[in-house]
Amino acid sequence: MTGGLLLAWALVAASAGPPLPASPAWISISSEELRDRYDTLWAVSDVHGRREQLETLLLAAGLAVRKPDGLEWKPAQAKQLLVVVGDSIRGGPDSRGVVMLWKKLQQQAQGAGSRVVVLLGNQEVRFLAHPLRGHDEYGQFIQAMPVAALVGSWLFAHAGYFDADAHDYFARIGESWMRGDYGFLLQPHSILGYHRWWKSERRRAKLKKRLALLGLNGLVFGHDPDGLGAKATIAMDADGWFTKLDTGLKENASRGMMLRCELSQVLRRGQLMMSDAGRPACRALAPDGSLREIPVR
Ligand SMILES: [Mn+2]
């Protein structure tokens, strides 16, 4: 290795700080665990109570089968990791049906050698903060939802932006989540609440720096149906740092999509690569089962 290359490598290695500590308030899945346990990484967000549209997507993805009592995880469907990036509830007609389906699929996926991770969105936090929320199965499942997931080198979080040092910010998330005090997460500029931060180049640059300090190189988020300026579709930014998931199910702007990443294609030398020579490395699954190239914005 030449001196220049060695210096460049040392600078890159030194730029990442320590990883986040473990916490029940977020999920951490290392690149090694991804490589060893999963073939495919899926993500969906902002289902907003549209259970029928969600079922169509899960069937099209081959992750679920229809049984007389509703959808079930496909028994042989192993090595699939599905991350649900918040706002499963409110907007459409069947929030309870969506949450109970996640609960059932989460249990069945585990038995099949797969995993379903269901994260909080601002709508779930608003539900949890309400004094009259139920403490039944529905309320308990929502209360147990983590705030974010660190999967390989990507962060999955509903709005995605955080305006502080990552270790400080996640420490505060952990404290408030453990206490069941949702004021911090309810703030309009929280990691679950901040609308349209992606419109600001300055914020995008700041967020990239904060993610890089955690050793991360990508964010997958929902929350804004026009995220990155793309409506009714999943989209990726030109630098391959941001993927937005919300396709506008809340307002019936689309029938929904799921992000699908083949880990053999996107996992390179311990890092997830969102883009490959400027083109998105993942695909968008449409309700008709077709896999589409993700538009770049
Ligand atoms: Mn939202």
Side-chain angles (χ1 to χ4, degrees), residues 46 48 85-87 121-124 158-159 192-193 195 222-224 246 250:
D46 296 274
H48 285 291
V85 192
D87 278 7
N122 58 306
Q123 295 301 341
E124 282 85 4
H158 181 63
L192 302 185
H195 281 292
H223 193 45
D224 282 329
D246 187 351
K250 186 179 186 181

Side-chain angles (χ1 to χ4, degrees), residues 118-174:
V118 187
L119 302 177
L120 288 170
N122 58 306
Q123 295 301 341
E124 282 85 4
V125 172
R126 282 178 60 195
F127 165 82
L128 290 172
H130 196 280
L132 294 181
R133 78 164 143 114
H135 292 270
D136 58 350
E137 205 184 355
Y138 175 73
Q140 282 172 4
F141 187 79
I142 293 174
Q143 194 179 7
M145 289 179 183
V147 176
L150 295 107
V151 177
S153 55
W154 294 349
L155 174 68
F156 290 71
H158 181 63
Y161 190 80
F162 53 96
D163 198 8
D165 166 79
H167 282 87
D168 296 344
Y169 193 83
F170 276 81
R172 287 201 65 186
I173 287 178

Side-chain angles (χ1 to χ4, degrees), residues 20-24 26 28:
L20 289 180
S23 165
W26 54 86
S28 297

Side-chain angles (χ1 to χ4, degrees), residues 112-294:
S114 288
R115 183 168 180 185
V116 178
V117 169
V118 187
L119 302 177
L120 288 170
N122 58 306
Q123 295 301 341
E124 282 85 4
V125 172
R126 282 178 60 195
F127 165 82
L128 290 172
H130 196 280
L132 294 181
R133 78 164 143 114
H135 292 270
D136 58 350
E137 205 184 355
Y138 175 73
Q140 282 172 4
F141 187 79
I142 293 174
Q143 194 179 7
M145 289 179 183
V147 176
L150 295 107
V151 177
S153 55
W154 294 349
L155 174 68
F156 290 71
H158 181 63
Y161 190 80
F162 53 96
D163 198 8
D165 166 79
H167 282 87
D168 296 344
Y169 193 83
F170 276 81
R172 287 201 65 186
I173 287 178
E175 283 162 23
S176 39
W177 189 91
M178 300 289 270
R179 277 202 313 272
D181 168 5
Y182 298 102
F184 181 58
L185 290 169
L186 280 171
Q187 288 173 9
H189 286 184
S190 85
I191 195 168
L192 302 185
Y194 201 163
H195 281 292
R196 301 211 157 91
W197 58 266
W198 41 268
K199 286 201 157 186
S200 157
E201 280 304 326
R202 192 175 56 84
R203 287 194 192 94
R204 288 194 197 200
K206 274 177 149 181
L207 185 56
K208 287 181 191 177
K209 272 189 197 160
R210 295 192 186 109
L211 292 170
L213 282 171
L214 291 176
L216 303 178
N217 67 351
L219 167 73
V220 181
F221 68 104
H223 193 45
D224 282 329
D226 61 344
L228 305 179
K231 289 182 181 169
T233 179
I234 289 174
M236 186 190 86
D237 79 305
D239 295 335
W241 269 84
F242 304 117
T243 293
K244 81 94 174 179
L245 299 171
D246 187 351
T247 61
L249 278 173
K250 186 179 186 181
E251 310 294 343
N252 262 332
S254 83
R255 303 282 297 170
M257 283 182 176
M258 286 176 75
L259 181 73
R260 182 185 193 279
C261 309
E262 272 186 51
L263 288 171
S264 64
Q265 312 255 314
V266 299
L267 193 54
R268 308 253 175 88
R269 282 174 248 102
Q271 296 256 298
L272 291 173
M273 304 307 295
M274 206 174 270
S275 80
D276 189 355
R279 292 178 67 184
C282 301
R283 295 282 178 274
L285 179 95
D288 64 2
S290 61
L291 280 174
R292 303 183 183 178
E293 180 136 345
I294 293 171

